[in-house]
Amino acid sequence: MKIMADCVQGYKDRKISYTLLSKAESNSSGLAIIFPGQGYTAQAPLLYYSMGIYLNQNYDVLQVNYQYNDPFYREFGFDEIAEAIRIDVGAVIDHVLQNASYDDYILIGKSIGTIALGFEVQRDLFRKAKVIWFTPLLGRDFVWNAMMHSKQRSLCFIGDNDSCYIEDRFQQLRANPNLLLRLIPGVNHGLEYETDLFASMDVLKQVMKEVEAF
């Protein structure tokens, strides 16, 4: 395994770190880009095992390791956080792709990372990418509109015990034929049951099977 870690200058000169992983012994078939949640890092289960799936499929994996729970961002409203995400994520991707090019892209976002997806699906570079929306922020018009109108083949997972789940908005997403929707009864924002560890592990296993098949 080849691992490269570095950082770029982002919004308001804040340094944004990233990690690029690849199987050094072979040429990559594509790039999977991971946009974590605010407190849900790339090492948390949904993103960690997604990373493993794509590494096993001979993709390189780029983790954008922003830290929007840092006190630096404490006074930011949603619009400014969204602008920081747009600039930070774009800077990391542009920097990494200065030295590499890929034919296939997978974009994976969790929670606040789905704001990043909302920007990146608009890029011409990613017009043919596949997109995975983990627990999207359906209450945010920007995210919901991006999902409603995205042209990429996409897969969405959310639970009906997630505070970000809005039934009406979720049902309206069915109008987008490019979007496969998976509503998991009883699970929270981590796609987990509050008090049932082993049932949560079963959900994780099923989700990862769908990610792998996607």
mmCIF file of all heavy atoms in Angstrom, residues 48-75:
data_model
loop_
_atom_site.group_PDB
_atom_site.id
_atom_site.type_symbol
_atom_site.label_atom_id
_atom_site.label_comp_id
_atom_site.label_asym_id
_atom_site.label_seq_id
_atom_site.Cartn_x
_atom_site.Cartn_y
_atom_site.Cartn_z
ATOM 1 N N TYR A 48 -14.675 3.923 6.114
ATOM 2 C CA TYR A 48 -13.506 3.039 6.171
ATOM 3 C C TYR A 48 -13.713 1.806 5.280
ATOM 4 O O TYR A 48 -12.825 1.427 4.495
ATOM 5 C CB TYR A 48 -13.239 2.609 7.609
ATOM 6 C CG TYR A 48 -12.091 1.648 7.757
ATOM 7 C CD1 TYR A 48 -10.772 2.097 7.775
ATOM 8 C CD2 TYR A 48 -12.326 0.276 7.867
ATOM 9 C CE1 TYR A 48 -9.718 1.211 7.896
ATOM 10 C CE2 TYR A 48 -11.277 -0.618 7.994
ATOM 11 C CZ TYR A 48 -9.977 -0.151 8.010
ATOM 12 O OH TYR A 48 -8.935 -1.041 8.128
ATOM 13 N N TYR A 49 -14.882 1.190 5.394
ATOM 14 C CA TYR A 49 -15.120 -0.018 4.595
ATOM 15 C C TYR A 49 -15.403 0.310 3.136
ATOM 16 O O TYR A 49 -15.070 -0.488 2.242
ATOM 17 C CB TYR A 49 -16.235 -0.847 5.224
ATOM 18 C CG TYR A 49 -15.780 -1.501 6.506
ATOM 19 C CD1 TYR A 49 -16.279 -1.089 7.733
ATOM 20 C CD2 TYR A 49 -14.826 -2.510 6.493
ATOM 21 C CE1 TYR A 49 -15.841 -1.666 8.920
ATOM 22 C CE2 TYR A 49 -14.378 -3.103 7.664
ATOM 23 C CZ TYR A 49 -14.892 -2.672 8.877
ATOM 24 O OH TYR A 49 -14.439 -3.243 10.043
ATOM 25 N N SER A 50 -15.983 1.479 2.864
ATOM 26 C CA SER A 50 -16.108 1.912 1.470
ATOM 27 C C SER A 50 -14.732 2.071 0.844
ATOM 28 O O SER A 50 -14.495 1.663 -0.302
ATOM 29 C CB SER A 50 -16.875 3.234 1.386
ATOM 30 O OG SER A 50 -18.215 3.086 1.794
ATOM 31 N N MET A 51 -13.815 2.672 1.603
ATOM 32 C CA MET A 51 -12.440 2.809 1.137
ATOM 33 C C MET A 51 -11.850 1.437 0.800
ATOM 34 O O MET A 51 -11.231 1.250 -0.257
ATOM 35 C CB MET A 51 -11.585 3.493 2.200
ATOM 36 C CG MET A 51 -10.107 3.565 1.867
ATOM 37 S SD MET A 51 -9.108 4.199 3.253
ATOM 38 C CE MET A 51 -9.222 2.810 4.409
ATOM 39 N N GLY A 52 -12.047 0.478 1.693
ATOM 40 C CA GLY A 52 -11.519 -0.859 1.461
ATOM 41 C C GLY A 52 -12.089 -1.503 0.215
ATOM 42 O O GLY A 52 -11.363 -2.163 -0.545
ATOM 43 N N ILE A 53 -13.378 -1.300 -0.026
ATOM 44 C CA ILE A 53 -14.011 -1.865 -1.214
ATOM 45 C C ILE A 53 -13.349 -1.333 -2.477
ATOM 46 O O ILE A 53 -13.002 -2.098 -3.396
ATOM 47 C CB ILE A 53 -15.524 -1.552 -1.217
ATOM 48 C CG1 ILE A 53 -16.239 -2.447 -0.196
ATOM 49 C CG2 ILE A 53 -16.130 -1.729 -2.614
ATOM 50 C CD1 ILE A 53 -17.678 -2.054 0.067
ATOM 51 N N TYR A 54 -13.140 -0.029 -2.520
ATOM 52 C CA TYR A 54 -12.592 0.541 -3.755
ATOM 53 C C TYR A 54 -11.099 0.291 -3.904
ATOM 54 O O TYR A 54 -10.606 0.129 -5.033
ATOM 55 C CB TYR A 54 -12.964 2.018 -3.862
ATOM 56 C CG TYR A 54 -14.427 2.149 -4.221
ATOM 57 C CD1 TYR A 54 -15.367 2.549 -3.283
ATOM 58 C CD2 TYR A 54 -14.867 1.777 -5.486
ATOM 59 C CE1 TYR A 54 -16.714 2.606 -3.603
ATOM 60 C CE2 TYR A 54 -16.214 1.830 -5.811
ATOM 61 C CZ TYR A 54 -17.131 2.246 -4.871
ATOM 62 O OH TYR A 54 -18.460 2.275 -5.197
ATOM 63 N N LEU A 55 -10.377 0.205 -2.809
ATOM 64 C CA LEU A 55 -8.978 -0.217 -2.915
ATOM 65 C C LEU A 55 -8.885 -1.630 -3.476
ATOM 66 O O LEU A 55 -8.031 -1.926 -4.324
ATOM 67 C CB LEU A 55 -8.297 -0.140 -1.553
ATOM 68 C CG LEU A 55 -7.921 1.259 -1.052
ATOM 69 C CD1 LEU A 55 -7.431 1.183 0.392
ATOM 70 C CD2 LEU A 55 -6.852 1.905 -1.934
ATOM 71 N N ASN A 56 -9.784 -2.501 -3.037
ATOM 72 C CA ASN A 56 -9.794 -3.873 -3.535
ATOM 73 C C ASN A 56 -10.194 -3.946 -5.005
ATOM 74 O O ASN A 56 -9.857 -4.912 -5.698
ATOM 75 C CB ASN A 56 -10.742 -4.737 -2.702
ATOM 76 C CG ASN A 56 -10.182 -5.057 -1.331
ATOM 77 O OD1 ASN A 56 -8.978 -4.977 -1.108
ATOM 78 N ND2 ASN A 56 -11.053 -5.402 -0.395
ATOM 79 N N GLN A 57 -10.917 -2.927 -5.466
ATOM 80 C CA GLN A 57 -11.286 -2.857 -6.879
ATOM 81 C C GLN A 57 -10.245 -2.087 -7.699
ATOM 82 O O GLN A 57 -10.477 -1.727 -8.840
ATOM 83 C CB GLN A 57 -12.665 -2.213 -7.031
ATOM 84 C CG GLN A 57 -13.794 -3.071 -6.481
ATOM 85 C CD GLN A 57 -15.168 -2.450 -6.660
ATOM 86 O OE1 GLN A 57 -15.317 -1.404 -7.293
ATOM 87 N NE2 GLN A 57 -16.180 -3.092 -6.121
ATOM 88 N N ASN A 58 -9.108 -1.841 -7.066
ATOM 89 C CA ASN A 58 -7.954 -1.226 -7.719
ATOM 90 C C ASN A 58 -8.132 0.272 -8.000
ATOM 91 O O ASN A 58 -7.533 0.813 -8.923
ATOM 92 C CB ASN A 58 -7.597 -1.956 -9.024
ATOM 93 C CG ASN A 58 -6.108 -1.926 -9.292
ATOM 94 O OD1 ASN A 58 -5.304 -1.876 -8.365
ATOM 95 N ND2 ASN A 58 -5.726 -1.938 -10.556
ATOM 96 N N TYR A 59 -8.963 0.916 -7.205
ATOM 97 C CA TYR A 59 -9.055 2.371 -7.253
ATOM 98 C C TYR A 59 -8.048 2.987 -6.285
ATOM 99 O O TYR A 59 -7.744 2.408 -5.243
ATOM 100 C CB TYR A 59 -10.454 2.829 -6.812
ATOM 101 C CG TYR A 59 -11.514 2.752 -7.877
ATOM 102 C CD1 TYR A 59 -11.993 1.525 -8.320
ATOM 103 C CD2 TYR A 59 -12.061 3.898 -8.431
ATOM 104 C CE1 TYR A 59 -12.973 1.445 -9.290
ATOM 105 C CE2 TYR A 59 -13.049 3.834 -9.398
ATOM 106 C CZ TYR A 59 -13.500 2.602 -9.828
ATOM 107 O OH TYR A 59 -14.470 2.534 -10.791
ATOM 108 N N ASP A 60 -7.555 4.156 -6.624
ATOM 109 C CA ASP A 60 -6.922 4.994 -5.624
ATOM 110 C C ASP A 60 -8.029 5.622 -4.778
ATOM 111 O O ASP A 60 -9.163 5.782 -5.238
ATOM 112 C CB ASP A 60 -6.094 6.100 -6.270
ATOM 113 C CG ASP A 60 -4.846 5.580 -6.962
ATOM 114 O OD1 ASP A 60 -4.515 4.390 -6.801
ATOM 115 O OD2 ASP A 60 -4.201 6.379 -7.684
ATOM 116 N N VAL A 61 -7.711 5.996 -3.545
ATOM 117 C CA VAL A 61 -8.694 6.622 -2.655
ATOM 118 C C VAL A 61 -8.127 7.919 -2.106
ATOM 119 O O VAL A 61 -7.025 7.939 -1.540
ATOM 120 C CB VAL A 61 -9.087 5.679 -1.493
ATOM 121 C CG1 VAL A 61 -10.011 6.407 -0.517
ATOM 122 C CG2 VAL A 61 -9.765 4.418 -2.026
ATOM 123 N N LEU A 62 -8.881 8.985 -2.276
ATOM 124 C CA LEU A 62 -8.506 10.295 -1.749
ATOM 125 C C LEU A 62 -9.438 10.646 -0.594
ATOM 126 O O LEU A 62 -10.651 10.738 -0.778
ATOM 127 C CB LEU A 62 -8.611 11.359 -2.847
ATOM 128 C CG LEU A 62 -8.432 12.818 -2.418
ATOM 129 C CD1 LEU A 62 -7.051 13.052 -1.826
ATOM 130 C CD2 LEU A 62 -8.699 13.762 -3.595
ATOM 131 N N GLN A 63 -8.864 10.828 0.580
ATOM 132 C CA GLN A 63 -9.622 11.263 1.751
ATOM 133 C C GLN A 63 -9.372 12.753 1.968
ATOM 134 O O GLN A 63 -8.227 13.172 2.138
ATOM 135 C CB GLN A 63 -9.175 10.501 2.998
ATOM 136 C CG GLN A 63 -9.318 9.002 2.905
ATOM 137 C CD GLN A 63 -8.626 8.290 4.058
ATOM 138 O OE1 GLN A 63 -7.825 8.877 4.778
ATOM 139 N NE2 GLN A 63 -8.933 7.015 4.230
ATOM 140 N N VAL A 64 -10.437 13.551 1.941
ATOM 141 C CA VAL A 64 -10.314 14.985 2.220
ATOM 142 C C VAL A 64 -10.580 15.174 3.712
ATOM 143 O O VAL A 64 -11.699 15.016 4.186
ATOM 144 C CB VAL A 64 -11.296 15.805 1.377
ATOM 145 C CG1 VAL A 64 -11.045 17.301 1.588
ATOM 146 C CG2 VAL A 64 -11.165 15.458 -0.110
ATOM 147 N N ASN A 65 -9.538 15.497 4.463
ATOM 148 C CA ASN A 65 -9.608 15.457 5.931
ATOM 149 C C ASN A 65 -9.849 16.838 6.552
ATOM 150 O O ASN A 65 -9.085 17.300 7.403
ATOM 151 C CB ASN A 65 -8.319 14.843 6.488
ATOM 152 C CG ASN A 65 -8.070 13.440 5.963
ATOM 153 O OD1 ASN A 65 -8.976 12.624 5.913
ATOM 154 N ND2 ASN A 65 -6.847 13.179 5.550
ATOM 155 N N TYR A 66 -10.921 17.481 6.117
ATOM 156 C CA TYR A 66 -11.270 18.768 6.733
ATOM 157 C C TYR A 66 -11.739 18.560 8.166
ATOM 158 O O TYR A 66 -12.084 17.440 8.567
ATOM 159 C CB TYR A 66 -12.337 19.495 5.909
ATOM 160 C CG TYR A 66 -13.455 18.615 5.389
ATOM 161 C CD1 TYR A 66 -14.297 17.913 6.251
ATOM 162 C CD2 TYR A 66 -13.687 18.494 4.022
ATOM 163 C CE1 TYR A 66 -15.322 17.118 5.778
ATOM 164 C CE2 TYR A 66 -14.718 17.694 3.535
ATOM 165 C CZ TYR A 66 -15.534 17.013 4.420
ATOM 166 O OH TYR A 66 -16.542 16.218 3.964
ATOM 167 N N GLN A 67 -11.755 19.645 8.937
ATOM 168 C CA GLN A 67 -12.071 19.559 10.372
ATOM 169 C C GLN A 67 -13.037 20.681 10.754
ATOM 170 O O GLN A 67 -12.674 21.628 11.447
ATOM 171 C CB GLN A 67 -10.789 19.662 11.210
ATOM 172 C CG GLN A 67 -9.785 18.568 10.966
ATOM 173 C CD GLN A 67 -10.205 17.236 11.573
ATOM 174 O OE1 GLN A 67 -10.985 17.193 12.517
ATOM 175 N NE2 GLN A 67 -9.692 16.157 11.022
ATOM 176 N N TYR A 68 -14.268 20.596 10.296
ATOM 177 C CA TYR A 68 -15.213 21.695 10.527
ATOM 178 C C TYR A 68 -15.803 21.731 11.935
ATOM 179 O O TYR A 68 -16.583 22.629 12.246
ATOM 180 C CB TYR A 68 -16.316 21.680 9.468
ATOM 181 C CG TYR A 68 -15.760 21.884 8.081
ATOM 182 C CD1 TYR A 68 -15.895 20.913 7.094
ATOM 183 C CD2 TYR A 68 -15.051 23.043 7.769
ATOM 184 C CE1 TYR A 68 -15.358 21.089 5.840
ATOM 185 C CE2 TYR A 68 -14.499 23.233 6.513
ATOM 186 C CZ TYR A 68 -14.664 22.249 5.554
ATOM 187 O OH TYR A 68 -14.117 22.427 4.305
ATOM 188 N N ASN A 69 -15.396 20.778 12.778
ATOM 189 C CA ASN A 69 -15.744 20.867 14.203
ATOM 190 C C ASN A 69 -14.647 21.575 15.003
ATOM 191 O O ASN A 69 -14.741 21.702 16.219
ATOM 192 C CB ASN A 69 -16.016 19.478 14.793
ATOM 193 C CG ASN A 69 -14.871 18.504 14.561
ATOM 194 O OD1 ASN A 69 -13.906 18.831 13.866
ATOM 195 N ND2 ASN A 69 -14.969 17.325 15.141
ATOM 196 N N ASP A 70 -13.615 22.070 14.316
ATOM 197 C CA ASP A 70 -12.551 22.840 14.959
ATOM 198 C C ASP A 70 -13.100 24.195 15.426
ATOM 199 O O ASP A 70 -13.966 24.782 14.762
ATOM 200 C CB ASP A 70 -11.411 23.049 13.951
ATOM 201 C CG ASP A 70 -10.193 23.700 14.580
ATOM 202 O OD1 ASP A 70 -10.191 24.945 14.689
ATOM 203 O OD2 ASP A 70 -9.250 22.971 14.939
ATOM 204 N N PRO A 71 -12.603 24.723 16.568
ATOM 205 C CA PRO A 71 -13.073 26.038 17.042
ATOM 206 C C PRO A 71 -12.935 27.165 16.021
ATOM 207 O O PRO A 71 -13.664 28.162 16.103
ATOM 208 C CB PRO A 71 -12.184 26.291 18.269
ATOM 209 C CG PRO A 71 -11.829 24.929 18.772
ATOM 210 C CD PRO A 71 -11.692 24.083 17.540
ATOM 211 N N PHE A 72 -12.022 27.024 15.069
ATOM 212 C CA PHE A 72 -11.856 28.033 14.021
ATOM 213 C C PHE A 72 -13.168 28.332 13.306
ATOM 214 O O PHE A 72 -13.414 29.464 12.870
ATOM 215 C CB PHE A 72 -10.809 27.548 13.020
ATOM 216 C CG PHE A 72 -10.596 28.450 11.836
ATOM 217 C CD1 PHE A 72 -9.799 29.579 11.939
ATOM 218 C CD2 PHE A 72 -11.203 28.161 10.616
ATOM 219 C CE1 PHE A 72 -9.605 30.407 10.839
ATOM 220 C CE2 PHE A 72 -11.012 28.992 9.520
ATOM 221 C CZ PHE A 72 -10.210 30.116 9.624
ATOM 222 N N TYR A 73 -14.017 27.312 13.178
ATOM 223 C CA TYR A 73 -15.261 27.449 12.407
ATOM 224 C C TYR A 73 -16.480 27.708 13.290
ATOM 225 O O TYR A 73 -17.612 27.723 12.790
ATOM 226 C CB TYR A 73 -15.497 26.174 11.578
ATOM 227 C CG TYR A 73 -14.371 25.835 10.638
ATOM 228 C CD1 TYR A 73 -13.407 24.883 10.996
ATOM 229 C CD2 TYR A 73 -14.253 26.441 9.393
ATOM 230 C CE1 TYR A 73 -12.363 24.554 10.131
ATOM 231 C CE2 TYR A 73 -13.220 26.120 8.525
ATOM 232 C CZ TYR A 73 -12.281 25.181 8.897
ATOM 233 O OH TYR A 73 -11.255 24.859 8.042
ATOM 234 N N ARG A 74 -16.258 27.917 14.575
ATOM 235 C CA ARG A 74 -17.366 27.945 15.542
ATOM 236 C C ARG A 74 -18.408 29.020 15.218
ATOM 237 O O ARG A 74 -19.602 28.806 15.398
ATOM 238 C CB ARG A 74 -16.809 28.144 16.953
ATOM 239 C CG ARG A 74 -17.873 28.061 18.050
ATOM 240 C CD ARG A 74 -17.221 28.060 19.416
ATOM 241 N NE ARG A 74 -16.429 26.853 19.630
ATOM 242 C CZ ARG A 74 -15.383 26.788 20.446
ATOM 243 N NH1 ARG A 74 -14.978 27.868 21.107
ATOM 244 N NH2 ARG A 74 -14.719 25.653 20.596
ATOM 245 N N GLU A 75 -17.964 30.166 14.748
ATOM 246 C CA GLU A 75 -18.886 31.276 14.487
ATOM 247 C C GLU A 75 -19.424 31.268 13.052
ATOM 248 O O GLU A 75 -20.184 32.163 12.683
ATOM 249 C CB GLU A 75 -18.188 32.613 14.770
ATOM 250 C CG GLU A 75 -17.643 32.747 16.188
ATOM 251 C CD GLU A 75 -18.706 32.563 17.257
ATOM 252 O OE1 GLU A 75 -19.823 33.067 17.054
ATOM 253 O OE2 GLU A 75 -18.411 31.912 18.285
#
